[in-house]
Amino acid sequence: MTQKYYEFFCPVKVIAGKSALEHIPYELTGLAAKRPMIVTDKGVRAAGLLDPVIAACEESGLEIVTIYDDVPPDSSTTVVRDIAGIYRQEKCDSIIAVGGGSAIDTGKAVNILVSEGGDDIAKYSGAGVIKHPLKPFFVVPTTAGTGSEVTSVAVITDEAKGVKLPFTSSFLLPNAAIIDPRMTLTLPPHITAATAMDAMTHAVEAFTCMAKNPLSDAYATAAVKKVSRSLLSVMDNPKDVDGRLELAQASTMAGIAFSNSMVGLVHALGHATGAICHLPHGLCMSLYLPYVLEYNLETIREPLGDLLLSLEGPEVFSATPAARRAEASISALRKLRDQLHKRCQLPRTLKETGKVSEDQRNQIAEMALDDGAIMFNPKEVSLEDARAVLQRAWA
Amino acid sequence: MLAKRIQPMVSQARRLYVELMFQVMGRALQAVSEVDDAVKKETQALPAGFLFEMMVMPNGPRLIVEHTGLGRLHYHGASAPRPVDLSIQFKHIAHAFLVLSFQEKTAVAFANDRMLVDGDISYAVRMTRVLNRLESFILPKLIAERAVKEYPSNLHLPHKLISAVRIYLKVATNFVETVRA
């Protein structure tokens, strides 16, 4: 009898492609929502990204009741409480989060408060605390990397206690994710590169870590293929609408993959580096990916070799002996990083970031060892192992 | 027909096995925290008074240990003196049996969604390392390799044997004391 078992869940309606934003009014009406609130940040508003969202709604006679545009990069319990207060005051009935990871997480947390009641978001922290469906919630991502539009997790900082509160529930998943290439057209090159490598890492770890399964594999390989094929062309031609859509879809697909199969050591090291050295998450992912794959190599040789087809295409795959495909996959990722470094100086080593000191490496290793992602890494990681990976990633 | 009649007995046997294994593991956790420096180092990071629970949902067998300070764990049996700080919960007795009979590694059980963590994930990761270390000591290598993600390469036979004997002696002593009490 088979020993294999897996779970897969993604009820998010994905609305993707040309004029996707114009579907928002119809979709909201279908959920009996008439008074949406937009949750976003100042950068998104200043870049004019709200305009097509508002225009799409107004043209269909749907009024955006209120806009909260002051979500900080690390959202807090106070911000969530304030937004929930505005939502109630304005008698809103639905939320549209427009932005990156922070705006989306904030939207999820606000939805908990306005649906479940109260002002203290902390009491809903943890796994499975929320037991009922929440208010209609739509997400319009403006970066192509986090995959937050299809994950059932939100992280909010409790400023008073100085801790990050995790919220996990399938009810946090939005009703719809609207992937419109107009929303990522103006992303600057270094953010395009870092967020795309974030999506790439989600997909590669989803495909090589312990909770991989046939359904997440399908999403992961498709995401790897899209990033490999489109990232450099978008870097060379940022107004490439088709390429932008490919990256945005890759991000969503990688999000579906990793939220159903989890991630591993790259994320454990990346979370620790982000917390200690304040480096952007996507950059950390890009930086650590090849070094961690090298560390895991003998445990993941087969799936990593299979990924070569998605990374380099059928010609390279068939021309590479099966025994060399795993190494060739790592080389393909290194080559991609070199190209990104050439185009926008995306760091490939800790030294190149200029923001990590040698003595912080031990701290990163210790913190990474306690990160939840490490549980799903296919190879056991000791403190010495983590230090060794950091040493290789140094320069 | 026969299978139908046997099924309740199989279920009962499985439950008894899980209960017994929890009793052994709880006592062994206390013992290994007294015997092994690496475990002590791990548990020292837990707050004093920290209560850890492993249980089967919804009201199945459970084990509770407390970090009493300086890395020492104390086995409380199946009832906690106050609300626990961290709970690792098997969704079903069948899943607990798979792990405790070494048919499924703890890490694989997490990956397969057999278990939930209620509490600080970083402490759950730490306690999983402690459980792995304990299993590496007290199980023969062939079985331990089925229970942990990777059998520690630096755990050599003399050290393993001496530690295992000390842990089993402490577990046996604790059982006797419990029966006497």
Side-chain angles (χ1 to χ4, degrees):
Chain A
M1 200 170 91
T2 181
Q3 293 296 311
K4 288 181 184 163
Y5 172 86
Y6 70 90
E7 295 179 6
F8 186 94
F9 183 65
C10 182
V12 180
K13 181 167 185 175
V14 176
I15 298 165
K18 188 179 178 182
S19 300
L21 292 174
E22 280 69 19
H23 284 256
I24 293 176
Y26 172 80
E27 295 295 334
L28 275 177
T29 311
L31 296 169
K34 293 175 185 150
R35 296 179 61 79
M37 170 190 213
I38 286 182
V39 175
T40 189
D41 61 56
K42 290 229 181 296
V44 168
R45 193 162 205 180
L49 295 176
L50 286 193
D51 301 342
V53 181
I54 295 167
C57 293
E58 284 180 350
E59 277 169 6
S60 283
L62 182 76
E63 184 200 358
I64 302 289
V65 177
T66 183
I67 297 171
Y68 185 91
D69 68 357
D70 206 9
V71 174
D74 266 324
S75 196
S76 69
T77 49
T78 318
V79 172
V80 170
R81 191 190 59 211
D82 291 349
I83 302 175
I86 298 167
Y87 179 103
R88 289 172 183 136
Q89 193 185 324
E90 297 292 338
K91 296 187 169 50
C92 298
D93 60 9
S94 49
I95 298 167
I96 306 173
V98 184
S102 183
I104 298 171
D105 277 13
T106 305
K108 288 175 180 172
V110 170
N111 203 16
I112 296 173
L113 272 193
V114 298
S115 304
E116 294 279 308
D119 285 321
D120 182 15
I121 188 67
K123 76 175 184 184
Y124 299 104
S125 172
V129 179
I130 302 153
K131 305 285 187 198
H132 314 286
L134 308 181
K135 303 274 187 197
F137 177 48
F138 286 17
V139 169
V140 184
T142 59
T143 62
T146 67
S148 303
E149 67 275 15
V150 284
T151 65
S152 52
V153 180
V155 179
I156 301 292
T157 304
D158 185 334
E159 289 162 316
K161 292 181 183 161
V163 292
K164 290 199 170 191
L165 300 174
F167 301 85
T168 311
S169 165
S170 56
F171 294 120
L172 291 183
L173 285 160
N175 300 86
I178 296 93
I179 317 296
D180 192 308
R182 282 173 287 178
M183 305 310 280
T184 52
L185 269 183
T186 54
L187 270 182
H190 65 283
I191 297 182
T192 302
T195 50
M197 287 305 286
D198 187 14
M200 174 70 95
T201 308
H202 287 154
V204 172
E205 289 216 293
F207 195 76
T208 53
C209 287
M210 289 184 70
K212 79 196 283 327
N213 63 71
L215 296 181
S216 69
D217 283 355
Y219 282 98
T221 48
V224 169
K225 189 172 166 184
K226 283 184 187 302
V227 176
S228 300
R229 289 199 175 170
S230 302
L231 178 53
L232 294 180
S233 64
V234 168
M235 292 299 289
D236 293 336
N237 177 18
K239 297 292 175 195
D240 172 5
V241 177
D242 290 336
R244 288 286 187 186
L245 181 60
E246 286 292 279
L247 291 183
Q249 289 176 119
S251 166
T252 301
M253 295 172 99
I256 293 172
F258 92 82
S259 60
N260 282 285
S261 64
M262 306 308 287
V263 284
L265 181 58
V266 184
H267 275 77
L269 289 169
H271 292 153
T273 311
I276 293 164
C277 309
H278 309 290
L279 285 171
H281 179 70
L283 187 162
C284 297
M285 297 298 99
S286 177
L287 198 156
Y288 287 125
L289 182 58
Y291 305 106
V292 170
L293 293 177
E294 281 165 2
Y295 172 74
N296 286 333
L297 184 58
E298 291 314 319
T299 327
I300 59 168
R301 182 168 280 285
E302 193 183 329
L304 188 57
D306 291 346
L307 269 189
L308 186 64
L309 180 62
S310 310
L311 282 163
E312 293 277 50
E315 288 81 15
V316 175
F317 182 81
S318 54
T320 309
R324 297 290 306 157
R325 283 178 187 152
E327 284 86 352
S329 293
I330 298 175
S331 299
L333 289 165
R334 281 184 177 277
K335 206 166 63 185
L336 180 60
R337 291 185 341 142
D338 290 342
Q339 291 296 320
L340 294 173
H341 183 258
K342 201 168 141 191
R343 284 166 170 82
C344 68
Q345 290 75 54
L346 189 71
R348 295 160 297 180
T349 61
L350 289 169
K351 205 173 177 184
E352 278 179 1
T353 66
K355 288 186 177 168
V356 183
S357 61
E358 279 195 79
D359 55 339
Q360 281 175 318
R361 284 186 302 182
N362 206 34
Q363 222 183 327
I364 294 170
E366 280 177 6
M367 190 183 267
L369 226 54
D370 284 343
D371 191 278
I374 216 156
M375 295 268 269
F376 302 99
N377 194 66
K379 191 173 169 187
E380 192 67 85
V381 187
S382 68
L383 189 58
E384 291 68 35
D385 297 330
R387 282 182 187 140
V389 173
L390 287 164
Q391 172 65 34
R392 282 195 290 277
W394 175 250
Chain B
M1 189 66 183
L2 184 66
K4 253 187 175 178
R5 292 177 71 173
I6 290 174
Q7 185 57 38
M9 283 189 283
V10 172
S11 298
Q12 183 63 11
R14 200 163 59 180
R15 178 169 289 270
L16 285 172
Y17 177 82
V18 171
E19 272 175 15
L20 178 68
M21 283 304 286
F22 272 171
Q23 288 185 29
V24 173
M25 274 174 64
R27 289 175 169 89
L29 278 169
Q30 179 176 319
V32 78
S33 74
E34 293 163 8
V35 165
D36 185 53
D37 287 339
V39 165
K40 251 184 242 175
K41 204 175 159 194
E42 290 282 8
T43 48
Q44 262 169 2
L46 304 171
F50 181 90
L51 284 174
F52 167 70
E53 170 191 70
M54 262 185 113
M55 59 97 67
V56 179
M57 294 172 84
N59 293 308
R62 67 186 65 209
L63 77 85
I64 288 138
V65 292
E66 177 179 358
H67 176 227
T68 52
L70 304 171
R72 292 288 185 97
L73 297 175
H74 173 73
Y75 174 56
H76 277 286
S79 57
R82 56 187 178 279
V84 297
D85 299 287
L86 172 69
S87 178
I88 293 181
Q89 303 166 348
F90 289 98
K91 288 180 180 173
H92 193 274
I93 191 89
H95 305 151
F97 183 76
L98 279 176
V99 173
L100 298 174
S101 59
F102 318 111
Q103 296 176 62
E104 194 165 275
K105 296 174 195 285
T106 311
V108 172
F110 270 117
N112 285 354
D113 281 309
R114 312 285 199 194
M115 302 191 279
L116 298 175
V117 173
D118 188 6
D120 191 318
I121 295 285
S122 65
Y123 290 145
V125 175
R126 198 167 274 271
M127 284 309 295
T128 306
R129 280 200 298 270
V130 170
L131 286 166
N132 285 344
R133 180 98 180 146
L134 170 66
E135 286 171 334
S136 301
F137 275 131
I138 64 172
L139 298 172
K141 189 178 176 188
L142 272 177
I143 298 175
E145 280 171 341
R146 294 169 62 96
V148 302
K149 202 193 279 185
E150 200 172 295
Y151 188 81
S153 57
N154 58 356
L155 182 56
H156 303 297
L157 194 59
H159 179 44
K160 178 188 167 88
L161 279 179
I162 292 166
S163 302
V165 167
R166 290 176 69 194
I167 291 166
Y168 277 121
L169 273 176
K170 282 177 183 282
V171 169
T173 311
N174 193 301
F175 260 118
V176 171
E177 281 169 1
T178 309
V179 172
R180 276 186 184 159

